[in-house]
Amino acid sequence: MTAQTETAPDAPERSEDKVRRVLQRVIFPEDRDLDVLPLYVDYGASVGVPREDEEGGPQVTEVKVVDALSSEQHPENILDRHRLRVVADQRVSFATYFNAFAASYWRMWTVVDEVVLRVRVSGQATVIVYRSTADGRSQRVDSESSESGEGGGDFEFTLPLKPFGDGGWYWFDVWAGTDDAVLEEASWCADVPAERGRMGTATVGITVIRPDSAVPLLGQLAADKEVMAALDEVIVVDQGTKRVHDEPDAARIDDAMGGKLRVIEQGNIGGSGGFARSQYETVKAGTSTYVLLLDDDIVAEPESILRAITFGDLARRPTLVGGHMFSLYARSQLHSFGEQVARWRFWWGPAARVNPEHDLANRSLRATRWLHSRVDVDYNGWWMCLIPRVVLEEIGLGLPLFIKWDDAEYGLRAQAAGYPTVSMPGVAVWHVPWTDKNDALDWQAYYHQRNRTVAALLHSPYDYGGRVVRESFIHQVKHLLAMQYSTAELRLRALEDILSGPGHLHAQIGTKLPEVRAMRTEHSDAQTKPHADAFPRPRLLKPPKRGHDPSDPQSQLAQLKTATLGSIRQMFPIRDLAKRHPEARISARDARWWRLVALDSAIVSTTDGTAASWYRREPKEFQRLLRRTIRVHEQFALEWPRLAREYRAALPELTSMHGWESTFDAARPADDETAGEVAAEAEPSKPTSVTKTPVSDASEPADGLTAAPQVAEAPPPGASKESQ
């Protein structure tokens, strides 16, 4: 029952019309970081049956939960990237995020119908194979042992995928005997049709504003020879004021990549402009099977790239393969596992049954029931997303949205054309979490409002967009009641731009940001100072009586009452004392509309805690913006069907190679990132690896690139909730 385990992911083993491919290798963290070790190795020896509590949250009985800093974890036992020492009489489980096999995803989306687990150990050891059901119950499948004195052995288990229609994983444990044993290597393999025997290749596309965050990622890629072998090119679209080639390690990384690194300098046209440029270059070259979009400020698990490509190679139809997102601050915390767009509201959020911010150091895969049910998604964030080139050639490139919603819209567009998106377990990056931000209140409010509405016009199945217009009006009124006039102004301007027609998307992508920033600073709620003490001391003549502090109006009737009373207050002038002194100092988390509506002014800290601003009630501004709000939303309510037809008709041109070429050609390198201005080109220090050639001088795009008619850097659910 032995077999030679493959080590090269693209070296198939042939058998008649089938070849054997490695789907997923067992890996360990190179830096032996205790914070991420639970994602690779589980030292909890007990196998329990999980249950759910009364509220549906994950609970478990008789499962040993091991803290990430537990003394039972010994990072020194990681011998290298693929080898682990198992101490005598110790049991180690690979029922972990990166090393278990997500069987239900392979069964649903690929041509694979059975998987072969290959394990090589040295020393006396027992290998035990388990599976889980869709509801998270563990079942023992098989086991094999190396006899005492044999010095180890190779084990092979052939495991069917048929029982995994709705969910479930495979994994294995290794139990050492009286002496230490070593897991030398292990992999999950499959015999696949010969025509799918070779690994496809990818062009990596990274959009960069701050090169100091991107260079470490480039270093990660350059250091992994197997990953680099699967890449045709690494395209860095440099849109910042500081240049990638000026970073200290840039030359070394360029050399390590052996000519595969190409830096394209262009003006700041946002994440959508940078990612579309990588898509454009991939289609134009016609070489790579895929384009792999990566955020510039991530920490990658390089093996994820090989896994994503392999999954794409074996998918039943061209499929977008996305990676999950772990928190860069709490590295065992699974921040985003699957995304969907609620069509009636047309708002993104976690997929059904997903519990965001789940910490796998505190509750392992075996102890987390919801992780065993397959999660189907509408799109994957472009922090990591693999897109087949044939999909780009058929449905076009991303929309020119600058930031926000470009990934969600693309997933919906691909889905409508018959190309699914799979957010694949075991494929992930680490990224700064979005839960501590509320970018729906700053300059990005313009893009949230505009791009969500554009995406809804393109893809909402409802004649009038479902709740989109009604929710927009409600949130607009809340912002006005909360004295957030800058946010209200930007949201209105976004809707007015949409009414001007789809041509504004390309025309304004490189010029809108400075205009948005300038509009925002006209209002006091957007004028910040670095410390709350920089403002006058808060004074309130009559503080609320004890027990009468404002609370969240839970019912619709209570909300309506609070909003009505708040609107009536707008008819009265601001109190004289409130003009000279704020009435309260409020943290960002407490700055809700129903609390602010009772005040005439307040010092409110920014969400990131780095500054504060002085909100002041302005009755005339409130009335002016409210009149515009009513007029614009009435227009949307009446003209939605016409606008939807107009935007859907324009979609093929907006996302075409030709449509983007003019935008790229006009996007010269910027000399002022904040204002978004462009300047004359400077000669690059490494002309052989930095491209500034206008795209109109490039070769013609591939024939037949059209888009079928039909929301940096879109954040995951929770990234930018509307103010409550």
PDB file of all heavy atoms in Angstrom, residues 520-521 523-537 580 582 585-586 602-616:
ATOM      1  N   ARG A 520     -15.516  67.751  -0.017  1.00  0.00           N
ATOM      2  CA  ARG A 520     -15.695  67.283   1.353  1.00  0.00           C
ATOM      3  C   ARG A 520     -15.173  68.297   2.368  1.00  0.00           C
ATOM      4  O   ARG A 520     -15.778  68.494   3.428  1.00  0.00           O
ATOM      5  CB  ARG A 520     -14.991  65.945   1.519  1.00  0.00           C
ATOM      6  CG  ARG A 520     -15.210  65.292   2.864  1.00  0.00           C
ATOM      7  CD  ARG A 520     -14.752  63.857   2.883  1.00  0.00           C
ATOM      8  NE  ARG A 520     -15.008  63.276   4.181  1.00  0.00           N
ATOM      9  CZ  ARG A 520     -14.118  63.237   5.169  1.00  0.00           C
ATOM     10  NH1 ARG A 520     -12.909  63.733   4.983  1.00  0.00           N
ATOM     11  NH2 ARG A 520     -14.420  62.705   6.338  1.00  0.00           N
ATOM     12  N   THR A 521     -14.053  68.928   2.060  1.00  0.00           N
ATOM     13  CA  THR A 521     -13.438  69.824   3.043  1.00  0.00           C
ATOM     14  C   THR A 521     -14.226  71.116   3.234  1.00  0.00           C
ATOM     15  O   THR A 521     -13.876  71.920   4.106  1.00  0.00           O
ATOM     16  CB  THR A 521     -12.004  70.172   2.619  1.00  0.00           C
ATOM     17  OG1 THR A 521     -12.024  70.746   1.304  1.00  0.00           O
ATOM     18  CG2 THR A 521     -11.128  68.926   2.610  1.00  0.00           C
ATOM     19  N   HIS A 523     -17.058  71.269   4.462  1.00  0.00           N
ATOM     20  CA  HIS A 523     -17.977  71.058   5.584  1.00  0.00           C
ATOM     21  C   HIS A 523     -17.195  70.786   6.865  1.00  0.00           C
ATOM     22  O   HIS A 523     -16.167  70.108   6.865  1.00  0.00           O
ATOM     23  CB  HIS A 523     -18.909  69.893   5.283  1.00  0.00           C
ATOM     24  CG  HIS A 523     -19.769  70.117   4.072  1.00  0.00           C
ATOM     25  ND1 HIS A 523     -20.975  70.783   4.122  1.00  0.00           N
ATOM     26  CD2 HIS A 523     -19.584  69.778   2.774  1.00  0.00           C
ATOM     27  CE1 HIS A 523     -21.499  70.830   2.910  1.00  0.00           C
ATOM     28  NE2 HIS A 523     -20.673  70.234   2.070  1.00  0.00           N
ATOM     29  N   SER A 524     -17.707  71.275   7.989  1.00  0.00           N
ATOM     30  CA  SER A 524     -16.985  71.179   9.259  1.00  0.00           C
ATOM     31  C   SER A 524     -16.815  69.740   9.726  1.00  0.00           C
ATOM     32  O   SER A 524     -15.826  69.422  10.395  1.00  0.00           O
ATOM     33  CB  SER A 524     -17.725  71.990  10.333  1.00  0.00           C
ATOM     34  OG  SER A 524     -19.038  71.470  10.554  1.00  0.00           O
ATOM     35  N   ASP A 525     -17.752  68.867   9.399  1.00  0.00           N
ATOM     36  CA  ASP A 525     -17.619  67.482   9.864  1.00  0.00           C
ATOM     37  C   ASP A 525     -16.451  66.774   9.202  1.00  0.00           C
ATOM     38  O   ASP A 525     -16.033  65.706   9.661  1.00  0.00           O
ATOM     39  CB  ASP A 525     -18.916  66.701   9.621  1.00  0.00           C
ATOM     40  CG  ASP A 525     -19.282  66.620   8.151  1.00  0.00           C
ATOM     41  OD1 ASP A 525     -19.662  67.652   7.577  1.00  0.00           O
ATOM     42  OD2 ASP A 525     -19.192  65.530   7.585  1.00  0.00           O
ATOM     43  N   ALA A 526     -15.902  67.336   8.124  1.00  0.00           N
ATOM     44  CA  ALA A 526     -14.759  66.734   7.441  1.00  0.00           C
ATOM     45  C   ALA A 526     -13.452  67.447   7.747  1.00  0.00           C
ATOM     46  O   ALA A 526     -12.405  67.056   7.242  1.00  0.00           O
ATOM     47  CB  ALA A 526     -15.000  66.722   5.935  1.00  0.00           C
ATOM     48  N   GLN A 527     -13.495  68.487   8.577  1.00  0.00           N
ATOM     49  CA  GLN A 527     -12.294  69.243   8.919  1.00  0.00           C
ATOM     50  C   GLN A 527     -11.751  68.719  10.240  1.00  0.00           C
ATOM     51  O   GLN A 527     -12.311  68.973  11.299  1.00  0.00           O
ATOM     52  CB  GLN A 527     -12.631  70.735   9.002  1.00  0.00           C
ATOM     53  CG  GLN A 527     -13.122  71.313   7.683  1.00  0.00           C
ATOM     54  CD  GLN A 527     -13.750  72.679   7.821  1.00  0.00           C
ATOM     55  OE1 GLN A 527     -13.777  73.257   8.907  1.00  0.00           O
ATOM     56  NE2 GLN A 527     -14.274  73.206   6.725  1.00  0.00           N
ATOM     57  N   THR A 528     -10.685  67.960  10.160  1.00  0.00           N
ATOM     58  CA  THR A 528     -10.174  67.248  11.327  1.00  0.00           C
ATOM     59  C   THR A 528      -8.964  67.951  11.941  1.00  0.00           C
ATOM     60  O   THR A 528      -8.261  68.715  11.284  1.00  0.00           O
ATOM     61  CB  THR A 528      -9.772  65.806  10.956  1.00  0.00           C
ATOM     62  OG1 THR A 528      -8.713  65.850   9.982  1.00  0.00           O
ATOM     63  CG2 THR A 528     -10.959  65.050  10.383  1.00  0.00           C
ATOM     64  N   LYS A 529      -8.763  67.640  13.222  1.00  0.00           N
ATOM     65  CA  LYS A 529      -7.553  68.013  13.934  1.00  0.00           C
ATOM     66  C   LYS A 529      -7.015  66.757  14.609  1.00  0.00           C
ATOM     67  O   LYS A 529      -7.767  65.831  14.919  1.00  0.00           O
ATOM     68  CB  LYS A 529      -7.853  69.106  14.966  1.00  0.00           C
ATOM     69  CG  LYS A 529      -8.263  70.433  14.318  1.00  0.00           C
ATOM     70  CD  LYS A 529      -8.426  71.545  15.356  1.00  0.00           C
ATOM     71  CE  LYS A 529      -8.783  72.864  14.664  1.00  0.00           C
ATOM     72  NZ  LYS A 529      -8.927  73.981  15.641  1.00  0.00           N
ATOM     73  N   PRO A 530      -5.702  66.717  14.853  1.00  0.00           N
ATOM     74  CA  PRO A 530      -5.103  65.460  15.320  1.00  0.00           C
ATOM     75  C   PRO A 530      -5.511  65.026  16.721  1.00  0.00           C
ATOM     76  O   PRO A 530      -5.289  63.871  17.091  1.00  0.00           O
ATOM     77  CB  PRO A 530      -3.599  65.740  15.252  1.00  0.00           C
ATOM     78  CG  PRO A 530      -3.477  67.223  15.258  1.00  0.00           C
ATOM     79  CD  PRO A 530      -4.686  67.747  14.572  1.00  0.00           C
ATOM     80  N   HIS A 531      -6.097  65.943  17.503  1.00  0.00           N
ATOM     81  CA  HIS A 531      -6.473  65.565  18.864  1.00  0.00           C
ATOM     82  C   HIS A 531      -7.760  66.290  19.245  1.00  0.00           C
ATOM     83  O   HIS A 531      -7.969  67.453  18.887  1.00  0.00           O
ATOM     84  CB  HIS A 531      -5.361  65.918  19.856  1.00  0.00           C
ATOM     85  CG  HIS A 531      -5.460  65.167  21.152  1.00  0.00           C
ATOM     86  ND1 HIS A 531      -6.390  65.484  22.137  1.00  0.00           N
ATOM     87  CD2 HIS A 531      -4.765  64.107  21.632  1.00  0.00           C
ATOM     88  CE1 HIS A 531      -6.253  64.654  23.153  1.00  0.00           C
ATOM     89  NE2 HIS A 531      -5.278  63.806  22.872  1.00  0.00           N
ATOM     90  N   ALA A 532      -8.620  65.606  20.004  1.00  0.00           N
ATOM     91  CA  ALA A 532      -9.890  66.214  20.414  1.00  0.00           C
ATOM     92  C   ALA A 532      -9.681  67.446  21.284  1.00  0.00           C
ATOM     93  O   ALA A 532     -10.523  68.362  21.294  1.00  0.00           O
ATOM     94  CB  ALA A 532     -10.737  65.183  21.162  1.00  0.00           C
ATOM     95  N   ASP A 533      -8.563  67.512  22.018  1.00  0.00           N
ATOM     96  CA  ASP A 533      -8.298  68.676  22.873  1.00  0.00           C
ATOM     97  C   ASP A 533      -7.962  69.929  22.070  1.00  0.00           C
ATOM     98  O   ASP A 533      -7.870  71.021  22.640  1.00  0.00           O
ATOM     99  CB  ASP A 533      -7.146  68.361  23.829  1.00  0.00           C
ATOM    100  CG  ASP A 533      -7.611  67.527  25.020  1.00  0.00           C
ATOM    101  OD1 ASP A 533      -8.842  67.447  25.219  1.00  0.00           O
ATOM    102  OD2 ASP A 533      -6.763  66.965  25.727  1.00  0.00           O
ATOM    103  N   ALA A 534      -7.778  69.770  20.769  1.00  0.00           N
ATOM    104  CA  ALA A 534      -7.516  70.944  19.934  1.00  0.00           C
ATOM    105  C   ALA A 534      -8.771  71.786  19.741  1.00  0.00           C
ATOM    106  O   ALA A 534      -8.687  72.921  19.260  1.00  0.00           O
ATOM    107  CB  ALA A 534      -6.964  70.503  18.576  1.00  0.00           C
ATOM    108  N   PHE A 535      -9.907  71.245  20.109  1.00  0.00           N
ATOM    109  CA  PHE A 535     -11.173  71.967  20.000  1.00  0.00           C
ATOM    110  C   PHE A 535     -11.556  72.541  21.379  1.00  0.00           C
ATOM    111  O   PHE A 535     -11.016  72.121  22.414  1.00  0.00           O
ATOM    112  CB  PHE A 535     -12.279  71.032  19.518  1.00  0.00           C
ATOM    113  CG  PHE A 535     -12.043  70.476  18.144  1.00  0.00           C
ATOM    114  CD1 PHE A 535     -11.521  69.204  17.977  1.00  0.00           C
ATOM    115  CD2 PHE A 535     -12.340  71.219  17.008  1.00  0.00           C
ATOM    116  CE1 PHE A 535     -11.298  68.679  16.716  1.00  0.00           C
ATOM    117  CE2 PHE A 535     -12.134  70.710  15.745  1.00  0.00           C
ATOM    118  CZ  PHE A 535     -11.603  69.444  15.589  1.00  0.00           C
ATOM    119  N   PRO A 536     -12.493  73.471  21.418  1.00  0.00           N
ATOM    120  CA  PRO A 536     -12.947  73.989  22.718  1.00  0.00           C
ATOM    121  C   PRO A 536     -13.510  72.877  23.606  1.00  0.00           C
ATOM    122  O   PRO A 536     -13.975  71.847  23.130  1.00  0.00           O
ATOM    123  CB  PRO A 536     -14.040  74.993  22.328  1.00  0.00           C
ATOM    124  CG  PRO A 536     -13.708  75.404  20.932  1.00  0.00           C
ATOM    125  CD  PRO A 536     -13.108  74.192  20.287  1.00  0.00           C
ATOM    126  N   ARG A 537     -13.457  73.138  24.922  1.00  0.00           N
ATOM    127  CA  ARG A 537     -13.937  72.157  25.891  1.00  0.00           C
ATOM    128  C   ARG A 537     -15.453  71.978  25.760  1.00  0.00           C
ATOM    129  O   ARG A 537     -16.201  72.947  25.655  1.00  0.00           O
ATOM    130  CB  ARG A 537     -13.588  72.631  27.306  1.00  0.00           C
ATOM    131  CG  ARG A 537     -14.066  71.715  28.421  1.00  0.00           C
ATOM    132  CD  ARG A 537     -13.514  72.200  29.759  1.00  0.00           C
ATOM    133  NE  ARG A 537     -13.873  73.587  30.009  1.00  0.00           N
ATOM    134  CZ  ARG A 537     -15.011  73.975  30.596  1.00  0.00           C
ATOM    135  NH1 ARG A 537     -15.917  73.056  30.966  1.00  0.00           N
ATOM    136  NH2 ARG A 537     -15.263  75.255  30.820  1.00  0.00           N
ATOM    137  N   ARG A 580     -20.067  78.093  20.366  1.00  0.00           N
ATOM    138  CA  ARG A 580     -18.741  78.342  20.929  1.00  0.00           C
ATOM    139  C   ARG A 580     -18.106  77.091  21.516  1.00  0.00           C
ATOM    140  O   ARG A 580     -16.880  76.974  21.556  1.00  0.00           O
ATOM    141  CB  ARG A 580     -18.834  79.429  22.006  1.00  0.00           C
ATOM    142  CG  ARG A 580     -19.425  80.741  21.513  1.00  0.00           C
ATOM    143  CD  ARG A 580     -19.298  81.834  22.558  1.00  0.00           C
ATOM    144  NE  ARG A 580     -19.925  81.473  23.825  1.00  0.00           N
ATOM    145  CZ  ARG A 580     -21.212  81.691  24.113  1.00  0.00           C
ATOM    146  NH1 ARG A 580     -21.997  82.262  23.196  1.00  0.00           N
ATOM    147  NH2 ARG A 580     -21.708  81.346  25.282  1.00  0.00           N
ATOM    148  N   PRO A 582     -18.550  72.677  21.804  1.00  0.00           N
ATOM    149  CA  PRO A 582     -19.289  71.448  21.492  1.00  0.00           C
ATOM    150  C   PRO A 582     -20.051  70.972  22.717  1.00  0.00           C
ATOM    151  O   PRO A 582     -19.654  71.261  23.859  1.00  0.00           O
ATOM    152  CB  PRO A 582     -18.188  70.455  21.101  1.00  0.00           C
ATOM    153  CG  PRO A 582     -16.952  70.985  21.747  1.00  0.00           C
ATOM    154  CD  PRO A 582     -17.091  72.480  21.758  1.00  0.00           C
ATOM    155  N   ARG A 585     -18.376  65.061  23.620  1.00  0.00           N
ATOM    156  CA  ARG A 585     -17.253  64.414  22.939  1.00  0.00           C
ATOM    157  C   ARG A 585     -17.645  62.949  22.747  1.00  0.00           C
ATOM    158  O   ARG A 585     -17.877  62.236  23.728  1.00  0.00           O
ATOM    159  CB  ARG A 585     -15.977  64.553  23.754  1.00  0.00           C
ATOM    160  CG  ARG A 585     -14.736  64.014  23.060  1.00  0.00           C
ATOM    161  CD  ARG A 585     -13.515  64.227  23.923  1.00  0.00           C
ATOM    162  NE  ARG A 585     -13.207  65.655  24.053  1.00  0.00           N
ATOM    163  CZ  ARG A 585     -12.601  66.191  25.109  1.00  0.00           C
ATOM    164  NH1 ARG A 585     -12.284  65.435  26.139  1.00  0.00           N
ATOM    165  NH2 ARG A 585     -12.343  67.490  25.142  1.00  0.00           N
ATOM    166  N   ILE A 586     -17.724  62.508  21.515  1.00  0.00           N
ATOM    167  CA  ILE A 586     -18.305  61.197  21.203  1.00  0.00           C
ATOM    168  C   ILE A 586     -17.299  60.366  20.413  1.00  0.00           C
ATOM    169  O   ILE A 586     -16.688  60.857  19.449  1.00  0.00           O
ATOM    170  CB  ILE A 586     -19.616  61.357  20.400  1.00  0.00           C
ATOM    171  CG1 ILE A 586     -20.631  62.163  21.219  1.00  0.00           C
ATOM    172  CG2 ILE A 586     -20.196  60.014  20.008  1.00  0.00           C
ATOM    173  CD1 ILE A 586     -21.920  62.446  20.482  1.00  0.00           C
ATOM    174  N   ALA A 602     -20.906  68.571  18.360  1.00  0.00           N
ATOM    175  CA  ALA A 602     -20.181  67.527  19.097  1.00  0.00           C
ATOM    176  C   ALA A 602     -18.820  67.306  18.465  1.00  0.00           C
ATOM    177  O   ALA A 602     -18.634  67.494  17.253  1.00  0.00           O
ATOM    178  CB  ALA A 602     -20.974  66.221  19.089  1.00  0.00           C
ATOM    179  N   ILE A 603     -17.863  66.921  19.298  1.00  0.00           N
ATOM    180  CA  ILE A 603     -16.555  66.484  18.819  1.00  0.00           C
ATOM    181  C   ILE A 603     -16.646  64.978  18.586  1.00  0.00           C
ATOM    182  O   ILE A 603     -16.957  64.220  19.511  1.00  0.00           O
ATOM    183  CB  ILE A 603     -15.439  66.792  19.829  1.00  0.00           C
ATOM    184  CG1 ILE A 603     -15.398  68.290  20.145  1.00  0.00           C
ATOM    185  CG2 ILE A 603     -14.095  66.313  19.300  1.00  0.00           C
ATOM    186  CD1 ILE A 603     -15.151  69.163  18.943  1.00  0.00           C
ATOM    187  N   VAL A 604     -16.369  64.547  17.364  1.00  0.00           N
ATOM    188  CA  VAL A 604     -16.486  63.137  16.998  1.00  0.00           C
ATOM    189  C   VAL A 604     -15.137  62.653  16.486  1.00  0.00           C
ATOM    190  O   VAL A 604     -14.546  63.270  15.589  1.00  0.00           O
ATOM    191  CB  VAL A 604     -17.570  62.931  15.921  1.00  0.00           C
ATOM    192  CG1 VAL A 604     -17.694  61.454  15.567  1.00  0.00           C
ATOM    193  CG2 VAL A 604     -18.912  63.473  16.399  1.00  0.00           C
ATOM    194  N   SER A 605     -14.649  61.581  17.065  1.00  0.00           N
ATOM    195  CA  SER A 605     -13.374  61.036  16.623  1.00  0.00           C
ATOM    196  C   SER A 605     -13.547  60.247  15.333  1.00  0.00           C
ATOM    197  O   SER A 605     -14.622  59.718  15.041  1.00  0.00           O
ATOM    198  CB  SER A 605     -12.772  60.133  17.706  1.00  0.00           C
ATOM    199  OG  SER A 605     -13.669  59.091  18.036  1.00  0.00           O
ATOM    200  N   THR A 606     -12.488  60.194  14.543  1.00  0.00           N
ATOM    201  CA  THR A 606     -12.515  59.393  13.324  1.00  0.00           C
ATOM    202  C   THR A 606     -12.447  57.912  13.683  1.00  0.00           C
ATOM    203  O   THR A 606     -12.004  57.535  14.772  1.00  0.00           O
ATOM    204  CB  THR A 606     -11.345  59.757  12.403  1.00  0.00           C
ATOM    205  OG1 THR A 606     -10.109  59.575  13.114  1.00  0.00           O
ATOM    206  CG2 THR A 606     -11.453  61.208  11.950  1.00  0.00           C
ATOM    207  N   THR A 607     -12.858  57.076  12.755  1.00  0.00           N
ATOM    208  CA  THR A 607     -12.957  55.649  13.050  1.00  0.00           C
ATOM    209  C   THR A 607     -11.610  55.036  13.389  1.00  0.00           C
ATOM    210  O   THR A 607     -11.523  54.133  14.219  1.00  0.00           O
ATOM    211  CB  THR A 607     -13.575  54.908  11.852  1.00  0.00           C
ATOM    212  OG1 THR A 607     -14.754  55.613  11.438  1.00  0.00           O
ATOM    213  CG2 THR A 607     -13.959  53.492  12.226  1.00  0.00           C
ATOM    214  N   ASP A 608     -10.540  55.518  12.760  1.00  0.00           N
ATOM    215  CA  ASP A 608      -9.228  54.946  13.045  1.00  0.00           C
ATOM    216  C   ASP A 608      -8.590  55.544  14.292  1.00  0.00           C
ATOM    217  O   ASP A 608      -7.477  55.142  14.681  1.00  0.00           O
ATOM    218  CB  ASP A 608      -8.292  55.113  11.842  1.00  0.00           C
ATOM    219  CG  ASP A 608      -8.080  56.573  11.460  1.00  0.00           C
ATOM    220  OD1 ASP A 608      -8.551  57.463  12.187  1.00  0.00           O
ATOM    221  OD2 ASP A 608      -7.437  56.811  10.423  1.00  0.00           O
ATOM    222  N   GLY A 609      -9.254  56.508  14.936  1.00  0.00           N
ATOM    223  CA  GLY A 609      -8.760  57.063  16.189  1.00  0.00           C
ATOM    224  C   GLY A 609      -7.617  58.050  16.051  1.00  0.00           C
ATOM    225  O   GLY A 609      -7.052  58.491  17.053  1.00  0.00           O
ATOM    226  N   THR A 610      -7.281  58.452  14.834  1.00  0.00           N
ATOM    227  CA  THR A 610      -6.120  59.323  14.641  1.00  0.00           C
ATOM    228  C   THR A 610      -6.460  60.805  14.669  1.00  0.00           C
ATOM    229  O   THR A 610      -5.556  61.637  14.706  1.00  0.00           O
ATOM    230  CB  THR A 610      -5.442  59.015  13.294  1.00  0.00           C
ATOM    231  OG1 THR A 610      -6.380  59.258  12.227  1.00  0.00           O
ATOM    232  CG2 THR A 610      -4.988  57.560  13.245  1.00  0.00           C
ATOM    233  N   ALA A 611      -7.732  61.162  14.634  1.00  0.00           N
ATOM    234  CA  ALA A 611      -8.108  62.568  14.567  1.00  0.00           C
ATOM    235  C   ALA A 611      -9.543  62.724  15.064  1.00  0.00           C
ATOM    236  O   ALA A 611     -10.200  61.754  15.459  1.00  0.00           O
ATOM    237  CB  ALA A 611      -7.965  63.097  13.133  1.00  0.00           C
ATOM    238  N   ALA A 612     -10.014  63.961  15.041  1.00  0.00           N
ATOM    239  CA  ALA A 612     -11.392  64.259  15.446  1.00  0.00           C
ATOM    240  C   ALA A 612     -11.866  65.471  14.673  1.00  0.00           C
ATOM    241  O   ALA A 612     -11.067  66.257  14.136  1.00  0.00           O
ATOM    242  CB  ALA A 612     -11.478  64.510  16.948  1.00  0.00           C
ATOM    243  N   SER A 613     -13.172  65.636  14.605  1.00  0.00           N
ATOM    244  CA  SER A 613     -13.749  66.805  13.932  1.00  0.00           C
ATOM    245  C   SER A 613     -14.918  67.337  14.760  1.00  0.00           C
ATOM    246  O   SER A 613     -15.466  66.642  15.614  1.00  0.00           O
ATOM    247  CB  SER A 613     -14.201  66.442  12.514  1.00  0.00           C
ATOM    248  OG  SER A 613     -15.132  65.381  12.539  1.00  0.00           O
ATOM    249  N   TRP A 614     -15.271  68.571  14.481  1.00  0.00           N
ATOM    250  CA  TRP A 614     -16.338  69.248  15.220  1.00  0.00           C
ATOM    251  C   TRP A 614     -17.583  69.283  14.347  1.00  0.00           C
ATOM    252  O   TRP A 614     -17.664  70.025  13.375  1.00  0.00           O
ATOM    253  CB  TRP A 614     -15.888  70.667  15.578  1.00  0.00           C
ATOM    254  CG  TRP A 614     -16.830  71.402  16.499  1.00  0.00           C
ATOM    255  CD1 TRP A 614     -18.050  70.985  16.934  1.00  0.00           C
ATOM    256  CD2 TRP A 614     -16.614  72.689  17.095  1.00  0.00           C
ATOM    257  NE1 TRP A 614     -18.620  71.898  17.766  1.00  0.00           N
ATOM    258  CE2 TRP A 614     -17.761  72.972  17.895  1.00  0.00           C
ATOM    259  CE3 TRP A 614     -15.584  73.617  17.053  1.00  0.00           C
ATOM    260  CZ2 TRP A 614     -17.886  74.154  18.613  1.00  0.00           C
ATOM    261  CZ3 TRP A 614     -15.705  74.795  17.777  1.00  0.00           C
ATOM    262  CH2 TRP A 614     -16.837  75.061  18.552  1.00  0.00           C
ATOM    263  N   TYR A 615     -18.560  68.438  14.698  1.00  0.00           N
ATOM    264  CA  TYR A 615     -19.833  68.443  13.997  1.00  0.00           C
ATOM    265  C   TYR A 615     -20.678  69.600  14.521  1.00  0.00           C
ATOM    266  O   TYR A 615     -20.797  69.787  15.735  1.00  0.00           O
ATOM    267  CB  TYR A 615     -20.602  67.140  14.249  1.00  0.00           C
ATOM    268  CG  TYR A 615     -20.087  65.905  13.537  1.00  0.00           C
ATOM    269  CD1 TYR A 615     -18.788  65.819  13.054  1.00  0.00           C
ATOM    270  CD2 TYR A 615     -20.925  64.810  13.357  1.00  0.00           C
ATOM    271  CE1 TYR A 615     -18.331  64.676  12.415  1.00  0.00           C
ATOM    272  CE2 TYR A 615     -20.480  63.655  12.717  1.00  0.00           C
ATOM    273  CZ  TYR A 615     -19.178  63.599  12.252  1.00  0.00           C
ATOM    274  OH  TYR A 615     -18.736  62.463  11.620  1.00  0.00           O
ATOM    275  N   ARG A 616     -21.279  70.363  13.595  1.00  0.00           N
ATOM    276  CA  ARG A 616     -22.158  71.462  13.983  1.00  0.00           C
ATOM    277  C   ARG A 616     -23.471  71.361  13.206  1.00  0.00           C
ATOM    278  O   ARG A 616     -23.455  71.136  11.991  1.00  0.00           O
ATOM    279  CB  ARG A 616     -21.510  72.817  13.672  1.00  0.00           C
ATOM    280  CG  ARG A 616     -20.243  73.129  14.451  1.00  0.00           C
ATOM    281  CD  ARG A 616     -19.742  74.504  14.022  1.00  0.00           C
ATOM    282  NE  ARG A 616     -18.578  74.949  14.767  1.00  0.00           N
ATOM    283  CZ  ARG A 616     -17.326  74.730  14.377  1.00  0.00           C
ATOM    284  NH1 ARG A 616     -17.075  74.046  13.275  1.00  0.00           N
ATOM    285  NH2 ARG A 616     -16.329  75.191  15.098  1.00  0.00           N
TER     286      ARG A 616
END
